[in-house]
Amino acid sequence: MQTVIERTKRLLELLGHDEEPFGVHYTDQKPVDGFGPKPGEIFTRDREAAGQIDWHKAFANEFSCLLGNVWLARRKKRAAWISHEACGCMGGGFYSGMYRPYLETNICYVTTGIPGTPMEGEHYLPDHPSMRAFMDDTMPPEAPAKYCVLKPLHQFDGGDAPLVVAFFARPEVLNGLFSLACYATGDHNAVASPFSAGCGALIAWPLAYQQRGEERAVIGGFDLSARKYMKTDEMSFAAPLTMYRKMLDAMEHSALTRHTWQGVRKKVAKSMRAWGEGAAD
């Protein structure tokens, strides 16, 4: 893993990007220094059917967005985490593999809402069948350990390794990552951008693709609810580690070392100076 960390420094240099990527992994050890939700409602289909979930608490008092915690972790260079017992968000719990099957409430919440209740719905998809199709398609592998942790790549300095490597970047740097992914795999479909929650694009989709034998990086950041936890014009790019290693192997022979990219890289440097440190919307 140390080799991946060192070679990532070279990739950042080629990209002209100044933010280290995060790695996603599972562990039974809660991070000592990081950001995550407090213990709260346990999301299961059985508890939902029995009316045992206090939705007011879940949506108001205890709600904690995983992307919000990742935003804090990025700023402080620490870890963000989620578990089944300390979930913070029914969607985040599902997309990180902490529970299954998905909840019927989530089907309503993302689509039409529940008539006659305060849940007006997000109207991100038009109806329940389209939402069910999405949830079935994006279902990640079941969490292999208690905590799903996202942390800066350099913190993987022991025996553990991330399952997914995730960048946060503006379009020009994203352009470089996209180009490198296609070059490294020889696949013009190497990068996908499916409908997704912000955390789903970082965790669920890369792992779901990998689970069914498809090597895909995922561009995310289109979740309207999560945009407040990302900088203006910023998107995410998440690749499974196996694919990311191929990208590192190919970078010195890719377009990132050719003259066309150098022109783009100058634009990246100029925009970085103008962009400054940025802020959450």
Side-chain angles (χ1 to χ4, degrees), residues 5 58 69 100 102 136 144 174 194 245:
I5 295 171
N69 288 316
R100 59 178 59 183
Y102 48 78
D136 288 336
L174 197 70
R245 288 182 185 275

Side-chain angles (χ1 to χ4, degrees), residues 170 172 265-276:
R170 297 182 81 191
E172 280 71 31
R265 194 182 183 286
K266 289 179 181 178
K267 184 179 179 183
V268 172
K270 183 178 180 180
S271 66
M272 289 296 293
R273 290 193 295 270
W275 199 23

Side-chain angles (χ1 to χ4, degrees), residues 42-281:
I42 305 296
F43 298 111
T44 68
R45 183 73 68 82
D46 289 343
R47 295 193 75 240
E48 180 188 44
Q52 296 174 342
I53 298 176
D54 186 331
W55 289 110
H56 177 74
K57 287 175 58 180
F59 277 107
N61 300 345
E62 296 174 351
F63 181 79
S64 179
C65 177
L66 181 54
L67 258 291
N69 288 316
V70 169
W71 169 249
L72 292 173
R74 289 173 59 197
R75 296 179 69 183
K76 300 294 185 180
K77 302 187 185 306
R78 299 177 186 173
W81 56 268
I82 190 172
S83 72
H84 195 188
E85 290 74 22
C87 193
C89 169
M90 62 175 168
F94 174 77
Y95 301 126
S96 59
M98 290 297 157
Y99 72 85
R100 59 178 59 183
Y102 48 78
L103 301 187
E104 291 299 309
T105 303
N106 209 15
I107 298 296
C108 299
Y109 180 65
V110 179
T111 58
T112 61
I114 301 176
T117 76
M119 188 185 291
E120 64 175 13
E122 294 179 310
H123 294 258
Y124 291 165
L125 285 175
D127 49 38
H128 295 182
S130 59
M131 183 61 183
R132 291 186 195 282
F134 158 66
M135 296 290 268
D136 288 336
D137 201 25
T138 191
M139 187 177 296
E142 186 175 358
K146 185 173 182 179
Y147 298 96
C148 178
V149 178
L150 300 89
K151 63 183 181 181
L153 198 62
H154 79 269
Q155 294 184 13
F156 289 89
D157 55 0
D160 57 343
L163 296 175
V164 176
V165 177
F167 288 78
F168 298 90
R170 297 182 81 191
E172 280 71 31
V173 172
L174 197 70
N175 191 176
L177 290 167
F178 176 95
S179 176
L180 179 58
C182 293
Y183 180 80
T185 60
D187 184 359
H188 59 278
N189 287 316
V191 184
S193 187
F195 175 86
S196 181
C199 55
L202 296 177
I203 307 170
W205 272 120
L207 295 180
Y209 282 129
Q210 188 175 57
Q211 183 174 236
R212 52 193 186 228
E214 300 178 42
E215 193 171 54
R216 296 281 184 275
V218 176
I219 293 176
F222 297 102
D223 178 4
L224 300 181
S225 300
R227 282 307 309 175
K228 59 181 173 287
Y229 301 122
M230 299 182 74
K231 296 176 183 178
T232 302
D233 299 336
E234 185 176 67
M235 306 299 286
S236 64
F237 178 97
L241 181 62
T242 52
M243 183 178 182
Y244 184 62
R245 288 182 185 275
K246 291 181 181 180
M247 292 169 64
L248 293 175
D249 288 341
M251 63 182 173
E252 298 292 353
H253 307 287
S254 73
L256 297 186
T257 60
R258 300 302 189 266
H259 70 280
T260 301
W261 173 251
Q262 298 314 309
V264 179
R265 194 182 183 286
K266 289 179 181 178
K267 184 179 179 183
V268 172
K270 183 178 180 180
S271 66
M272 289 296 293
R273 290 193 295 270
W275 199 23
E277 297 181 356
D281 294 335

